[in-house]
Amino acid sequence: DLMSDDQSSLPRALQDKYVLTRRIGTGVCGEVRLAFERSTCRKFAVKIINKKNFQSEGTATRNAETEIEILQRVDHPCLIKTEDFYQTEDSYYIVLELMEGGELFHRVKSQQQLDEGVAKLYFYQMLCAVQYLHRNGIIHRDLKPENVLLSSSEDECLIKVTDFNQSRILEEAALMRTLCGTPSYLAPEVFTHASSTGYGLAVDAWSLGVLLFVCLSGYAPFHESFGERSVTEQIIHGEFTMVPSKWRRVSNQAKDVVRKLLVVDPKLRMTVDEALQHPWLQDQPMLQTAHRLMKPAGRGDEDDEDDAPSAAVSTEAEPSSAGSLN
Ligand SMILES: Cc1n[nH]c(N)c1-c1cccs1
């Protein structure tokens, strides 16, 4: 574990500023560890991306640097914030906000399925986060319950979207430069590509549909255990089943949102903006709660900052008042 010699493999600058402790998550690209900032004892999550985990050096560098470049650019209450970034020859170390509630994936799994009101509160925040990305020309491309983190163990909590390593910044600038020049030599697809870029955003709307389906029902809409068709076949044909026992208590409006997002043709699929206008989300009490959670934390908790954290700071990810985020 990192408390022994492993710490020596960390960048010196990272070690000087943070103490890395236990693993709180693992992903395809590496692991996530709980870290304490030495000067403040504030808790963070350090994502360690092993460059060798990517199939080819080129992809690794491009993916991870794209991710880091994007992470540092985004600023929204429902998008994970990057605190710091370090790298060694074989790894990237990204210091991220700690979300004490862990992954949405585990919350849904432990509760079988979420109460509709809770699913609506989380889904609204996801829509706001993705709308922000889309307005900034960013496609997430890998939205799934593992990439949605919860700020606490409370049902009523802030959520944050993370894991941008599949994101791609639409090269609007490059495309604009191309279109400003004389068009006579440009191939047709350069123009139609612009519209296919538009479709690119729709991939996130589809994934949000799958996310909402899972939150409301507790199971995935496209799964190898359903019928003889492969998952890919089920997806390509937009073939999903709402098992009555799981969907009985779910409102028709919630089902309508799912059905309008899980549309195969990206041109006909509901967009994130349209989803935000859907009647199911015109729910004042939910919106009030969401906006309260999404507002920057007031100074109201400064007394927590006065609590000198005990020397033996708990290594549990569960919040100790002094360790809780601002
Ligand atoms: C990033 C991050 N910030 N706070 C938590 N719990 C994470 C995790 C991501 C993946 C596993 S844990």
Side-chain angles (χ1 to χ4, degrees), residues 98-112:
L98 178 70
M99 295 293 278
E100 312 260 9
E103 297 174 13
L104 173 64
F105 177 80
H106 298 307
R107 183 72 57 90
V108 177
K109 210 167 143 198
S110 62
Q111 296 189 7
Q112 278 71 49

Side-chain angles (χ1 to χ4, degrees), residues 24-27 31-33 44-47 80 94 96-103 106 146-147 149-150 162-163 317:
I24 53 174
T26 49
E31 60 176 358
V32 182
R33 287 186 175 272
F44 292 94
V46 177
K47 185 171 172 186
I80 209 86
I94 311 174
L96 299 161
E97 271 179 279
L98 178 70
M99 295 293 278
E100 312 260 9
E103 297 174 13
H106 298 307
E146 296 86 328
N147 289 339
L149 303 174
L150 302 163
T162 186
D163 217 345

